[in-house]
Amino acid sequence: MSRQNYLFTSESVSEGHPDKICDRISDAILDAFLAEEELARVACETFATTNLVVIGGEVGLSTPEKLTNLMGSVEDIVRNCVKDIGYEQDGFHWKHMAVQNHLHAQSAHIAQGVDNEGAGDQGIMFGYAVNETEALMPAPIQYAHAILRNLATARHSGELAMLGPDAKSQLSVNYVGGKPVGVSSIVLSTQHLDETMTSADVRSVVEPYIRKTLPDGWISDATKWHVNPTGKFVIGGPDGDAGLTGRKIIVDTYGGAAPHGGGAFSGKDPTKVDRSAAYAARYLAKNVVASGMAERCTIQLSYAIGVAKPLSIYCDTHGTGQVDEAAIEKAVAQSMDLTPTGIKNHLQLTRPIYERTAAYGHFGRAPDADGGFSWEKTDLIETLKKAV
């Protein structure tokens, strides 16, 4: 039997964190290519440091002319991302930073396997869902994201204009009887533009937003607060610490509450199962939990490069299942085509919907009308029940 009483901690980082800037740029470039062609191929990496952004990787469109034309817009995409996030500081400014574009045409050897509708790489992918929040996400990561998202909204609106774009949050959540009931500690480090602000000043500004974000009763007199514990935090973003695409894979997924296959998401088109199969696994796990078959569910999928069908499907309901796990595995295989083509068609992953995923988690978000976060839908419940 799993532990019932314990503390579990997860962290999140804001849209202005150096690694998240890079994730967003990579996904914005991906969206531009998918807007040009649904079958565009993109594997884009971004590096950022003091007043410099470097783009590299492999891309592919149907004609060299289209590729040349779109390459010309990459620098504008980069600058617009940084401008929208809000960086206008001496060491990192959207207008003055240098941008280097080293994208090139996709390898013909990789394209060969993918063109035959096989997976774009080998690997293992995990999906997870648990009924401890409305979004069927682990509470620590869900609320760590929500705190930073709400602070960013207030910053963009001008309510918290004294704050900068770079921030990190961390919550230690107290579980009793296997359910989250409160927070033992709250950690928030946020960049501030007013150099005279102390840690106490920053706490007085952000505390009301944090209290509104967390469920009633979760903060008590015993809750420990650590707001800007090192003191001033004026120099933020890539000027303070270099950023790179794909370095926040636990922040992007389940905050450490579930296994991770190791592959990052941002900058990858849906032929890359690192991304598309991880979305499919989350979709399946969420629908299993939403159907009442289990309170908690982990789904693992595995693939080989150039091979379309998954090599294995594994389900673990962690002792909470109402249905045999082997039956769920069979139902999953019957209910959804888990080839890369089947996944991208079922979840409509060839749309330009990825830039919005780059910050505040790829999971636990409400599905958008244009197809964004389609993997968060619970429209497979009846199909799974019939298959079981």
Side-chain angles (χ1 to χ4, degrees), residues 195-218:
E195 296 191 26
T196 67
M197 294 182 75
T198 65
S199 296
D201 294 332
V202 174
R203 175 173 171 174
S204 69
V205 167
V206 302
E207 184 172 340
Y209 292 87
I210 294 174
R211 287 185 177 275
K212 288 179 182 178
T213 301
L214 296 178
D216 290 341
W218 274 35

Side-chain angles (χ1 to χ4, degrees), residues 14 33 44 48 51 60-61 65 76 81 97 139 143 149 166 197 203 234 237 242 256 266 277 284 293 320 335-336 349:
S14 73
F33 274 79
C44 175
N51 273 331
L61 292 171
E65 292 77 17
D76 287 339
C81 285
M97 65 188 186
Y143 289 113
R149 190 166 56 244
D166 196 355
M197 294 182 75
R203 175 173 171 174
V234 177
S266 292
L284 293 167
M293 294 183 194
T320 70
S335 300
M336 183 178 178
L349 297 182

Side-chain angles (χ1 to χ4, degrees), residues 21-276:
I21 296 170
C22 295
D23 285 344
R24 177 164 176 177
I25 290 170
S26 293
D27 274 339
I29 291 170
L30 169 61
D31 280 353
F33 274 79
L34 291 176
E36 180 68 29
E37 282 185 4
E38 286 190 348
L39 299 181
R41 300 287 164 72
V42 179
C44 175
E45 308 294 344
T46 302
F47 166 73
T49 187
T50 302
N51 273 331
L52 173 66
V53 173
V54 181
I55 315 296
E58 300 182 328
V59 292
L61 292 171
S62 59
T63 68
E65 292 77 17
K66 284 186 177 182
L67 186 57
T68 299
N69 290 337
L70 198 48
M71 286 288 202
S73 66
V74 167
E75 181 172 337
D76 287 339
I77 292 170
V78 173
R79 294 190 188 280
N80 287 337
C81 285
V82 176
K83 181 181 180 181
D84 186 68
I85 291 169
Y87 275 107
E88 294 186 342
Q89 59 194 45
D90 289 342
F92 197 70
H93 196 298
W94 65 269
K95 185 184 293 186
H96 306 306
M97 65 188 186
V99 178
Q100 297 180 11
N101 178 8
H102 298 283
L103 293 170
H104 58 85
Q106 185 186 43
S107 160
H109 293 162
I110 292 177
Q112 179 179 338
V114 177
D115 289 340
N116 293 327
E117 300 189 346
D121 202 353
Q122 72 176 49
I124 55 175
M125 298 83 208
F126 289 93
Y128 181 73
V130 61
N131 67 355
E132 61 191 44
T133 60
E134 287 187 10
L136 304 185
M137 284 286 289
I141 188 67
Q142 190 73 356
Y143 289 113
H145 285 322
I147 287 170
L148 293 183
R149 190 166 56 244
N150 290 340
L151 289 175
T153 298
R155 177 176 63 85
H156 283 295
S157 73
E159 289 179 28
L160 295 180
M162 75 292 291
L163 298 186
D166 196 355
K168 301 178 79 172
S169 66
Q170 184 172 286
L171 294 179
S172 295
V173 175
N174 186 25
Y175 284 75
V176 176
K179 301 297 181 183
V181 298
V183 289
S184 66
S185 65
I186 299 168
V187 181
L188 180 79
S189 295
T190 180
Q191 183 185 9
H192 52 94
L193 306 181
D194 182 350
E195 296 191 26
T196 67
M197 294 182 75
T198 65
S199 296
D201 294 332
V202 174
R203 175 173 171 174
S204 69
V205 167
V206 302
E207 184 172 340
Y209 292 87
I210 294 174
R211 287 185 177 275
K212 288 179 182 178
T213 301
L214 296 178
D216 290 341
W218 274 35
I219 299 175
S220 69
D221 292 340
T223 300
K224 296 179 181 179
W225 291 74
H226 301 281
V227 178
N228 282 20
T230 61
K232 296 188 186 301
F233 183 5
V234 177
I235 298 174
D239 188 31
D241 190 11
L244 193 66
T245 300
R247 285 205 295 197
K248 287 293 177 284
I249 57 176
I250 300 303
V251 170
D252 286 343
T253 52
Y254 308 102
H260 195 295
F265 300 156
S266 292
K268 297 177 181 178
D269 72 71
T271 67
K272 281 74 172 176
V273 284
D274 274 343
R275 181 170 222 161
S276 57

